[in-house]
Amino acid sequence: MGASLSNLTEGSNGTAMGPGLGDIPESCVACVFTYLTPPEICNLARLNRAFRGAASSDSVWEMKLPSNYQDLLDLVPPERYQNLSKKDIFALLSRPVPFDDGNKEVWLDRVTGRVCMAISAKGMAITGIDDRRYWNWVSTEESRLHLGRFSKRLGRRVSSFEHTHGWDIKPVTFELSTCDGQLASCEHYLDDTEQDYDNGNHKRGCWIDYKVGEFIVNDSEPVTEVRFSVKQIDCTHSKGGLCVDSVFIIPTDLKERKRKGMLK
């Protein structure tokens, strides 16, 4: 794109052909940038000095930040963001910011600037979590939710399903609700050795994202409280072998962009 645009400012022998991109006022470029995504702005910043200056403008990046970005900065030590430009603040917040003793993370989606959040298993209230007959904490570099216990052998990931049972008999219920009355629920059989077409893989030994539902937040004030649960309370059979890692609260289109390979 840069090569084709630069041809607009030069003739075939390298001489100037009149007004070009370099003659556009920086303020006009900044106005156009307010309609583009952060990745697009950063790519265009390489074209010339005016584009580079506009791509660093606080007025541009102020519009890319969410209205409550200061609340996110409050989770960061002040010395990390004092005297930073709005562009650098966006870059800082686009990386995961841990809080609640590291059990939760919040960050900005790099394309939309919308807030994302991850809650680890240690940040959840899990029934029987302190009873070693039912649950064990397993240190892992992986994430999400899957059946079976995995390990590494000769540098390769291997899974054991010795204790995996009971999740194919009755579905698990996923629910979420908000303080303003929004509700969503769904059911899934967690153990299905047949191909799982929605998730694109077999369920055993693979981390699976289950979409519970959607809710709308119209404003950061008042605060919207969200409750979620995963339960299967049928006591007619035993169950085992389930690994739980995180819950994600993300913009609706984020998973779709990731599925299409548009998310970096």
Side-chain angles (χ1 to χ4, degrees):
M1 182 177 181
S4 62
L5 287 173
S6 64
N7 290 336
L8 297 175
T9 63
E10 297 180 353
S12 59
N13 59 355
T15 59
M17 293 180 61
L21 289 176
D23 299 306
I24 301 177
E26 184 177 309
S27 59
C28 293
V29 177
C31 183
V32 173
F33 279 179
T34 60
Y35 295 94
L36 302 182
T37 66
E40 291 170 338
I41 294 172
C42 293
N43 286 334
L44 290 173
R46 296 177 291 181
L47 286 179
N48 56 45
R49 182 177 299 176
F51 279 60
R52 188 161 52 250
S56 299
S57 170
D58 275 354
S59 63
V60 170
W61 290 96
E62 182 81 36
M63 297 184 66
K64 305 305 174 186
L65 290 164
S67 58
N68 63 337
Y69 76 90
Q70 186 60 53
D71 293 333
L72 307 185
L73 285 178
D74 290 341
L75 303 174
V76 180
E79 59 271 16
R80 290 188 57 192
Y81 63 83
Q82 285 178 344
N83 302 319
L84 288 184
S85 66
K86 292 297 191 295
K87 178 182 178 181
D88 290 335
I89 288 177
F90 186 95
L92 173 67
L93 296 180
S94 65
R95 296 185 290 271
V97 177
F99 66 102
D100 191 20
D101 295 327
N103 295 327
K104 301 173 184 175
E105 290 180 339
V106 66
W107 68 95
L108 300 183
D109 174 31
R110 296 183 180 183
V111 175
T112 65
R114 287 183 286 177
V115 179
C116 305
M117 185 177 181
I119 304 171
S120 73
K122 288 192 174 182
M124 305 177 200
I126 301 178
T127 302
I129 192 63
D130 296 322
D131 192 329
R132 300 296 291 273
R133 295 175 299 171
Y134 304 118
W135 295 97
N136 285 308
W137 292 112
V138 179
S139 179
T140 173
E141 297 177 355
E142 301 191 12
S143 60
R144 314 295 187 270
L145 182 152
H146 77 69
L147 294 175
R149 183 166 183 170
F150 66 87
S151 60
K152 287 189 176 181
R153 183 180 303 161
L154 299 178
R156 299 183 62 183
R157 184 185 188 277
V158 295
S159 299
S160 171
F161 308 115
E162 178 183 0
H163 301 291
T164 302
H165 64 281
W167 300 106
D168 57 338
I169 300 175
K170 294 290 183 66
V172 169
T173 301
F174 295 78
E175 296 180 337
L176 73 80
S177 62
T178 64
C179 58
D180 58 358
Q182 300 179 68
L183 301 170
S185 66
C186 59
E187 291 186 340
H188 292 281
Y189 285 89
L190 300 189
D191 193 7
D192 185 354
T193 55
E194 298 297 325
Q195 184 77 11
D196 178 21
Y197 293 103
D198 289 338
N199 293 286
N201 51 41
H202 292 284
K203 291 185 178 180
R204 281 199 170 193
C206 298
W207 291 108
I208 303 294
D209 288 329
Y210 290 98
K211 179 179 177 179
V212 180
E214 300 178 2
F215 61 93
I216 298 174
V217 177
N218 293 313
D219 201 344
S220 59
E221 293 293 341
V223 173
T224 300
E225 296 183 1
V226 181
R227 292 179 176 270
F228 56 86
S229 65
V230 181
K231 56 189 177 184
Q232 211 282 39
I233 56 177
D234 190 310
C235 299
T236 60
H237 62 279
S238 63
K239 299 173 283 289
L242 176 66
C243 296
V244 180
D245 181 83
S246 302
V247 167
F248 286 83
I249 302 175
I250 59 176
T252 301
D253 64 341
L254 192 60
K255 185 175 182 179
E256 182 66 16
R257 297 207 323 269
K258 185 176 181 181
R259 187 183 67 82
K260 292 182 177 180
M262 301 167 60
L263 183 63
K264 302 297 184 183

